[in-house]
Amino acid sequence: MNPPPAAPTPARFGRLIGVSLGPGDPELITRRGWAALQSHARWAYPVKKAEESSYALDIARRGGLAIPADAVELVFPMTRDAVALAKAWARAAAQTVQLLAEGRDLAFLVEGDASTYSTFRHLARAVRELAPEITVDTIAGVSSFAAAAAVADLALAEEDETMAVIPAAYGVEVIDRLLDEFDTLVLMKVKPLVDEILELLERRGLTATSCFVEKVGAPEERVVHDLTRLRGEKVNYLSLLLVQNPKRARGELRRGCRERAAPAAGSLAAVIDA
């Protein structure tokens, strides 16, 4: 009599799942993201300080999802101190690996899209450095600038137009240069440079074709087309500017396939065609 088959060996680690929630409106959570949040995966969510509120967690809560009792916060401080950041990332990665070692999937809640200026990609990289065999699954989501363009009734790019997405922290000199290279600029995290950017847009005559959007999709969402109202104002960290330059000079486009050169007399192509 043959012995019974051995029970399958459980995976050593669960999967790390980056669940994109969109920028604020829970109705923008994708069906795949919603399913991951209602699966047996444990939740993890980012906070700036221990026991502080989490914007990502609030999106899920406003969507009517019950917060699991065993949901875990991971602290990612808002600081430019390299030593403090390194310690925080090391702690978060070690904690994540420890949770995944239980064999259960971990759904990390991400505001916006997990592949765009997201904490999740840094976390996934740090986790893999500790345990390369961990599987990472990224669930795509709606980015803040796509949602902002929708609520502002603007097109990010049409037909042959170009666009660029950059952090405003690169400064007005870089922004000024890119205005001549792209039809649309998305300026992320504009809070520290609002007045400087407004001066640039006024000088370039682009305030009428620009729009400010703050906390898109959240109950506090604000869309401002008259940018002069922002001068001297302290805006929210979760804010961006959509800047369009309809005056941009464009180079010649190459459309379709290049016309093939006629074969030289006596060539192999000429003989075959004959």
Side-chain angles (χ1 to χ4, degrees), residues 11-16 99-106 134-135:
R12 180 184 173 191
F13 291 104
R15 292 178 303 154
L16 175 59
L99 292 169
L100 292 171
E102 298 175 6
R104 184 179 172 191
D105 291 346
L106 185 68
I134 286 177
T135 298

Side-chain angles (χ1 to χ4, degrees), residues 18-42:
V19 183
S20 301
L21 304 178
D25 183 353
E27 292 190 3
L28 295 181
I29 301 174
T30 65
R31 292 178 63 178
R32 187 178 169 203
W34 191 270
L37 294 177
Q38 292 190 312
S39 69
H40 295 294
R42 172 178 280 164

Side-chain angles (χ1 to χ4, degrees), residues 11-271:
R12 180 184 173 191
F13 291 104
R15 292 178 303 154
L16 175 59
I17 309 170
V19 183
S20 301
L21 304 178
D25 183 353
E27 292 190 3
L28 295 181
I29 301 174
T30 65
R31 292 178 63 178
R32 187 178 169 203
W34 191 270
L37 294 177
Q38 292 190 312
S39 69
H40 295 294
R42 172 178 280 164
W43 288 17
Y45 56 91
V47 295
K48 299 173 186 176
K49 296 179 182 178
E51 300 182 1
E52 190 177 62
S53 61
S54 166
Y55 189 71
L57 190 66
D58 187 56
I59 295 173
R61 182 184 290 110
R62 286 190 283 106
L65 288 165
I67 309 302
D70 61 355
V72 177
E73 68 175 24
L74 297 178
V75 179
F76 302 96
M78 294 291 289
T79 178
R80 295 189 179 277
D81 185 325
V83 175
L85 280 175
K87 290 181 178 179
W89 280 111
R91 283 194 300 268
Q95 187 177 357
T96 300
V97 171
Q98 184 178 10
L99 292 169
L100 292 171
E102 298 175 6
R104 184 179 172 191
D105 291 346
L106 185 68
F108 184 79
L109 278 58
V110 184
E111 60 195 63
D113 172 63
S115 299
T116 311
Y117 297 120
S118 168
T119 299
F120 176 70
R121 296 314 311 176
H122 294 284
L123 176 63
R125 190 159 48 245
V127 164
R128 278 174 164 164
E129 289 176 357
L130 296 176
E133 63 269 42
I134 286 177
T135 298
V136 176
D137 187 6
T138 304
I139 299 177
V142 178
S143 65
S144 60
F145 52 86
V151 300
D153 193 24
L154 297 173
L156 288 172
E158 295 184 277
E159 297 182 3
D160 300 314
E161 292 178 344
T162 59
M163 65 172 287
V165 182
I166 67 166
Y170 275 100
V172 291
E173 291 184 4
V174 172
I175 296 170
D176 191 17
R177 185 172 70 250
L178 292 180
L179 285 171
D180 294 321
E181 299 180 13
F182 295 93
D183 298 288
T184 299
L185 276 187
V186 178
L187 303 178
M188 307 290 289
K189 302 175 183 177
V190 298
K191 178 179 178 178
L193 295 173
V194 170
D195 285 345
E196 295 177 51
I197 296 173
L198 289 182
E199 290 177 5
L200 169 64
L201 297 181
E202 288 175 352
R203 176 165 54 83
R204 296 288 300 259
L206 297 176
T207 54
T209 55
S210 300
C211 181
F212 170 87
V213 183
E214 183 177 76
K215 300 195 73 171
V216 61
E220 307 86 1
E221 172 186 284
R222 185 167 63 131
V223 180
V224 180
H225 289 278
D226 181 6
L227 299 188
T228 60
R229 292 166 46 195
L230 298 174
R231 186 170 298 283
E233 183 179 330
K234 185 177 180 181
V235 303
N236 190 274
Y237 173 77
L238 298 174
S239 58
L240 57 82
L241 272 166
L242 304 174
V243 182
Q244 296 183 319
N245 183 9
K247 306 172 185 177
R248 188 181 78 87
R250 300 176 186 155
E252 183 179 354
L253 296 173
R254 299 177 64 180
R255 304 178 185 277
C257 300
R258 289 181 298 172
E259 185 176 337
R260 294 176 60 187
S267 69
L268 177 60
V271 173

